[in-house]
Amino acid sequence: MTDNTNSSAPAPAFPGGTILGYPRIGRMRELKRALESFWKGNSTQDELEATAKALRAENRDRLAALGLGKTDSSIPSNFSFYDHVLDAAVTFGAVPERFADLRAADGSVDLAGYSTIARGQGDKAPLEMTKWFDSNYHYLVPEIGPDTTFALSSNRWVEEFIEAKEAGFLTRPVITGPLTFLYLSKAADEAPEGYQPIDRLDDVLAVYVELLAAFKAAGAEWIQIDEPVLVADIDADRADVLANTTKVYNALVSAESRPALFVAAPYNSLDDALPVLKDTGVDAIGIDLVRGSVPSGVDLSGVTIAAGVVDGHNIWRTNLDEALAKADQVADLGATVTIASSTSLFHVPHTLQGEEHLGEELLSWLAFADEKVAEIVTLDTAFTQGEQAVAGALGEARAALQARAEHPGTNRAEVREALSGIEAQAFERSDYSIRAAAQDARFNLPELATTTIGSFPQTPEIRKARAAWAKGELSDAEYEQAMKDEIASVVKLQEDLGLDVLVHGEAERNDMVQYFAELLEGFDVTKNGWVQSYGSRCTRPSILWGDVARAEAMTVEWASYAQTLSDKPVKGMLTGPVTILAWSFVRDDQPLADTANQVGLALRGEIADLEAAGIGIIQVDEPALRELLPLKKADQPAYLDWSVKSFRLATSGAKDDTQIHTHLCYSEFGEVIDAIDGLNADVTSIEAARSRMEVLPAIKDHGYERQVGPGVWDIHSPRVPSTEEVTELLQLAKDSIPGKQLWVNPDCGLKTRGYDETNASLKNMLAATKAVRSA
Ligand code: GLN
Ligand code: ZN
């Protein structure tokens, strides 16, 4: 262990019972509203600051009321206006050149500038956004080049600490660690070949040292440094990652003036990084014992461990006995243990209060953020004072868990029997060549067939109709008519434009997962269970609590109505099993694979019903296939195996002349290309416009024999691509893939677009197709 002589006093005791972070958006999404109003120019920076300040105060008060200590550093301060990785970049002054004019003389940016970096403005593209580990949260990717200057450029973090202190709270500031910050950054455009952001480690470290001193001077006793990157197999040599871990934490531990250092590593096991971190002498280490496991064979004597035994990533009530047993196991390795959440709680909604409609039974199986804090307090009491001190709470938790296990809905004989009766051939279709011939004969589509990904703009009128229907102001029949009118207009538009394969437009879907969750058995939906997806954007994941079954057809009526309006094929539209799981809170009492297969089987029934209604082309979207990819390489093959199987279970009952499409929303294709091949879809549409068809050579090299639709229009912005631009992309695509195998489509669904740009862009897309067909 490093001799820690530089810090004058021994570390203060680590707080008993803590959480790694708390939702930032507010119970009533106050921050979302305040941000959006600020962006629209309806409120000032001061008003936005005031809302944020009130929110921070409210959160602190609530956490104290729930039992976290007010003055022992157990309340984390992890507020962010938009994203915590962006906060780190702005604090360290790592702002890309194109935003240089947003910086004040001291290097700081105000909230307008901060928003511009996050969201872009005019010709200033925002920072890229990507998924945060294996969650549905998106962070902003810092751009770090050889010339990026690092300097402490914002006092915000320290000021927030002082703000809490003045209100009588000694909080624990939470910051993104140097390793996570640099490994998640991308090289700035101008960086030379071979350069990596991590090359700048020494420069960044200097700023962290300065920051630690500032926190210490402000009176912080503990600081939490998040290093989730240490649990993931990333695109870097592990030996280098570990060497850098030693370097960083040796340096921070021996910093002249600093609070006690708590390094948190959520989302999986630290594995070989645990002993490395321990040897640096950091004052406490947070480990995830929900996704990760209890370390084995590590001597943890003298180490303080925050045992993450309460799931920060899912909403189920904790098995308190199991949690205590895990904490005991860690203590047996010699560690001084405190109870903690496995991750920040920002992945779960604020509170179960207001969700009474879920029913007492389901409610008693759940714990959102506030209920998890209460669990941690209970566990901490049990751990430090003995179980008898909280016997009542432990008994209540046991009873709820037992009721959940015994509930008929979590174990339905007919669902289980249907699944166990499935044979290997249920996962297979005829050879592709046979299917292709049957489909060609049936649809006789031209080369470079044109289509869209499914949704058309969700107009304010559609949303209004749905809201009125939910309130009972619109009858079922009136709502149905409103949706049918919308479908008719979308079909007419596509016919006028001359698309080859039409869609019904998904007007009736509030959300591509929730729509199905509301119709399938085994799910429930919350009223106010919002979680931050990125910035001000929140999603309301459904709760998949029981065995899944389909009571009745879910999409047939809409699709077949659309089909009556056109002689062209209308594509049926379903969301795939993996995506339904990824964007819901999924039961944790059985393997994900089993749950995925239950969903797969339900979708298989839906596909049969669509076929029976005459729908011959059916798309099963799996935009989340990449998102659930495990963080550890060793776990990936098993995941890819079950995820592909669930898709095949859903789709392989289709007849030879039914054309199965799938859609995937991202372009990092290389790593999952075998899985995509394994899906065995007849047609796969993917995102490709922004990367200028970068993925195609990989597909070509893979020897992909089925059809692909690389997106030719980046639908993430209102920009209309010109005919020339689309022509060029199509030509590029044709260089890699024979025209016979190519489809023409946008990158993704159009639900977030307006009709003006949709019309103009589709028109250009069709003109380009014409040009390339006749070239
Ligand atoms: N069919 C969906 C749509 O068009 C697909 C959305 C997605 O890939 N996220 O909206
Ligand atoms: Zn998509």
Side-chain angles (χ1 to χ4, degrees):
M1 198 180 289
T2 311
D3 182 24
N4 188 7
T5 44
N6 277 342
S7 46
S8 34
F14 189 76
T18 192
I19 56 175
L20 299 195
Y22 190 67
R24 314 184 288 218
I25 206 78
R27 270 196 185 194
M28 303 317 292
R29 289 182 291 160
E30 294 87 342
L31 184 60
K32 171 194 178 69
R33 302 222 164 81
L35 278 170
E36 291 174 358
S37 144
F38 174 65
W39 292 334
K40 282 197 197 117
N42 293 341
S43 55
T44 63
Q45 160 147 330
D46 286 349
E47 286 167 315
L48 176 55
E49 295 274 17
T51 304
K53 187 172 175 188
L55 195 56
R56 290 191 292 264
E58 193 187 311
N59 288 346
R60 285 193 301 267
D61 288 341
R62 186 177 308 121
L63 289 172
L66 287 166
L68 295 189
K70 252 179 109 162
T71 54
D72 65 356
S73 305
S74 63
I75 295 182
S77 70
N78 68 307
F79 178 79
S80 175
F81 275 99
Y82 197 99
D83 168 49
H84 51 276
V85 182
L86 174 61
D87 294 347
V90 165
T91 302
F92 304 139
V95 170
E97 241 343 271
R98 65 182 177 284
F99 301 116
D101 61 324
L102 301 172
R103 306 174 60 161
D106 63 357
S108 65
V109 292
D110 61 9
L111 288 176
Y114 175 87
S115 300
T116 299
I117 302 173
R119 308 170 70 229
Q121 195 175 65
D123 58 359
K124 285 190 173 74
L127 294 188
E128 195 177 298
M129 201 162 63
T130 194
K131 299 246 170 172
W132 174 250
F133 297 91
D134 52 356
S135 80
N136 189 22
Y137 176 76
H138 305 68
Y139 71 95
L140 290 163
V141 184
E143 298 165 21
I144 309 289
D147 306 321
T148 303
T149 47
F150 295 102
L152 201 50
S153 305
S154 162
N155 296 327
R156 216 172 249 293
W157 280 343
V158 176
E159 278 162 6
E160 281 170 15
F161 172 79
I162 293 170
E163 169 190 301
K165 203 170 145 205
E166 284 170 354
F169 289 80
L170 185 75
T171 59
R172 185 180 75 244
V174 180
I175 65 174
T176 301
L179 299 165
T180 300
F181 176 67
L182 286 175
Y183 280 121
L184 293 189
S185 292
K186 66 177 209 176
D189 280 345
E190 69 278 6
E193 211 35 55
Y195 162 89
Q196 307 275 344
I198 194 72
D199 299 349
R200 303 296 311 279
L201 186 55
D202 288 327
D203 304 315
V204 168
L205 260 182
V207 190
Y208 274 89
V209 168
E210 202 181 322
L211 179 67
L212 291 185
F215 274 124
K216 176 77 181 174
E221 292 192 351
W222 280 90
I223 182 162
Q224 177 179 326
I225 306 182
D226 285 339
E227 290 287 23
V229 82
L230 293 178
V231 310
D233 285 333
I234 55 169
D235 200 9
D237 190 354
R238 185 71 177 169
D240 290 345
V241 174
L242 295 180
N244 283 330
T245 305
T246 299
K247 177 176 181 173
V248 164
Y249 288 97
N250 276 342
L252 297 187
V253 163
S254 49
E256 205 142 311
S257 175
R258 61 167 178 86
L261 305 180
F262 168 42
V263 179
Y267 303 114
N268 214 309
S269 300
L270 274 167
D271 293 335
D272 50 0
L274 180 56
V276 170
L277 213 45
K278 170 196 153 185
D279 285 344
T280 64
V282 294
D283 303 289
I285 302 174
I287 60 178
D288 185 331
L289 296 175
V290 175
R291 295 289 176 97
S293 49
V294 176
S296 63
V298 192
D299 175 11
L300 292 177
S301 4
V303 186
T304 297
I305 294 283
V309 292
V310 169
D311 195 348
H313 208 159
N314 210 336
I315 53 163
W316 305 101
R317 184 178 200 144
T318 305
N319 182 328
L320 299 179
D321 296 315
E322 258 175 35
L324 284 171
K326 286 182 193 167
D328 280 335
Q329 282 175 290
V330 177
D332 288 345
L333 296 168
T336 304
V337 172
T338 32
I339 303 292
S341 59
S342 62
T343 72
S344 165
L345 302 182
F346 85 127
H347 297 296
V348 299
H350 270 271
T351 175
L352 286 170
Q353 278 173 32
E355 305 293 350
E356 290 70 25
H357 64 101
L358 293 174
E360 248 170 70
E361 201 153 36
L362 180 53
L363 274 180
S364 75
W365 308 349
L366 305 176
F368 288 178
D370 290 356
E371 293 77 26
K372 284 174 191 288
V373 175
E375 289 182 329
I376 287 169
V377 171
T378 300
L379 284 167
D380 180 57
T381 308
F383 198 65
T384 52
Q385 300 169 26
E387 296 190 13
Q388 68 292 344
V390 282
L394 292 176
E396 206 182 292
R398 279 179 205 126
L401 253 80
Q402 188 176 349
R404 181 180 165 199
E406 288 167 0
H407 190 278
T410 60
N411 203 332
R412 291 174 57 172
E414 70 280 20
V415 176
R416 308 258 154 183
E417 275 157 28
L419 262 180
S420 61
I422 279 175
E423 289 172 16
Q425 78 235 32
F427 297 86
E428 301 296 332
R429 297 183 72 191
S430 309
D431 280 348
Y432 175 64
S433 55
I434 297 173
R435 280 144 47 196
Q439 292 161 23
D440 277 349
R442 178 171 179 185
F443 302 112
N444 193 24
L445 292 168
E447 214 171 86
L448 300 178
T450 53
T451 191
T452 60
I453 303 305
S455 58
F456 268 71
Q458 280 269 333
T459 59
E461 292 70 38
I462 299 174
R463 290 179 202 279
K464 254 182 246 155
R466 187 158 29 255
W469 178 51
K471 281 195 218 131
E473 291 160 10
L474 217 58
S475 70
D476 288 356
E478 285 166 326
Y479 176 69
E480 191 180 315
Q481 195 52 51
M483 293 302 114
K484 284 190 164 166
D485 293 348
E486 185 65 29
I487 290 173
S489 103
V490 167
V491 168
K492 166 124 188 6
L493 172 68
Q494 296 171 86
E495 290 226 311
D496 292 348
L497 284 162
L499 284 146
D500 298 309
V501 172
L502 313 191
V503 295
H504 78 287
E506 300 179 30
E508 79 287 5
R509 301 187 191 175
N510 41 359
D511 172 279
M512 65 187 287
V513 170
Q514 196 183 325
Y515 177 78
F516 292 97
E518 281 173 352
L519 293 169
L520 287 166
E521 292 169 352
F523 287 84
D524 253 299
V525 292
T526 66
K527 286 211 161 87
N528 196 35
W530 297 99
V531 294
Q532 193 178 15
S533 170
Y534 62 88
S536 69
R537 251 306 245 274
C538 298
T539 62
R540 196 155 45 102
S542 306
I543 301 174
L544 197 178
W545 60 267
D547 280 357
V548 176
R550 189 182 67 120
E552 55 187 3
M554 304 180 284
T555 63
V556 173
E557 202 188 321
W558 307 119
S560 46
Y561 172 67
Q563 188 65 83
T564 62
L565 305 173
S566 177
D567 294 332
K568 299 222 170 126
V570 171
K571 187 158 64 162
M573 203 55 66
L574 303 173
T575 303
V578 178
T579 300
I580 289 186
L581 263 54
W583 295 349
S584 305
F585 290 119
V586 181
R587 61 190 296 184
D588 60 351
D589 57 350
Q590 65 179 15
L592 285 178
D594 296 353
T595 309
N597 276 339
Q598 291 182 0
V599 176
L601 201 58
L603 294 173
R604 189 180 177 103
E606 185 73 12
I607 290 178
D609 284 351
L610 283 167
E611 283 182 317
I615 302 297
I617 303 186
I618 299 165
Q619 179 172 308
V620 181
D621 292 323
E622 279 294 21
L625 186 68
R626 169 81 194 18
E627 173 182 323
L628 283 194
L629 191 70
L631 299 177
K632 306 269 190 204
K633 285 230 158 63
D635 299 332
Q636 291 174 358
Y639 162 73
L640 290 170
D641 183 63
W642 71 251
S643 57
V644 165
K645 276 201 181 121
S646 67
F647 182 92
R648 289 176 74 126
L649 180 58
T651 54
S652 298
K655 293 186 263 188
D656 288 347
D657 67 354
T658 297
Q659 189 171 64
I660 298 291
H661 289 220
T662 190
H663 166 70
L664 308 149
C665 265
Y666 42 81
S667 47
E668 306 98 330
F669 239 64
E671 43 196 338
V672 288
I673 192 149
D674 288 325
I676 292 165
D677 200 6
L679 297 178
N680 195 19
D682 299 302
V683 182
T684 302
S685 61
I686 52 179
E687 180 181 307
R690 217 183 260 198
S691 71
R692 297 196 48 84
M693 304 275 146
E694 204 175 65
V695 12
L696 288 180
I699 295 179
K700 181 182 173 190
D701 294 345
H702 185 272
Y704 195 80
E705 62 164 348
R706 297 186 297 279
Q707 300 159 64
V708 283
V712 291
W713 160 28
D714 172 15
I715 55 85
H716 301 98
S717 96
R719 204 177 143 271
V720 174
S722 69
T723 305
E724 294 68 42
E725 210 177 309
V726 178
T727 307
E728 221 175 276
L729 288 178
L730 276 178
Q731 216 90 50
L732 261 174
K734 260 186 102 173
D735 291 345
S736 290
I737 306 216
K740 186 85 201 97
Q741 267 175 270
L742 264 186
W743 283 66
V744 182
N745 47 256
D747 265 352
C748 193
L750 308 176
K751 58 180 166 245
T752 57
R753 295 275 57 87
Y755 264 107
D756 287 348
E757 69 249 30
T758 293
N759 271 324
S761 303
L762 287 177
K763 216 173 181 176
N764 293 351
M765 183 179 102
L766 288 153
T769 306
K770 216 172 185 177
V772 176
R773 271 181 193 152
S774 59

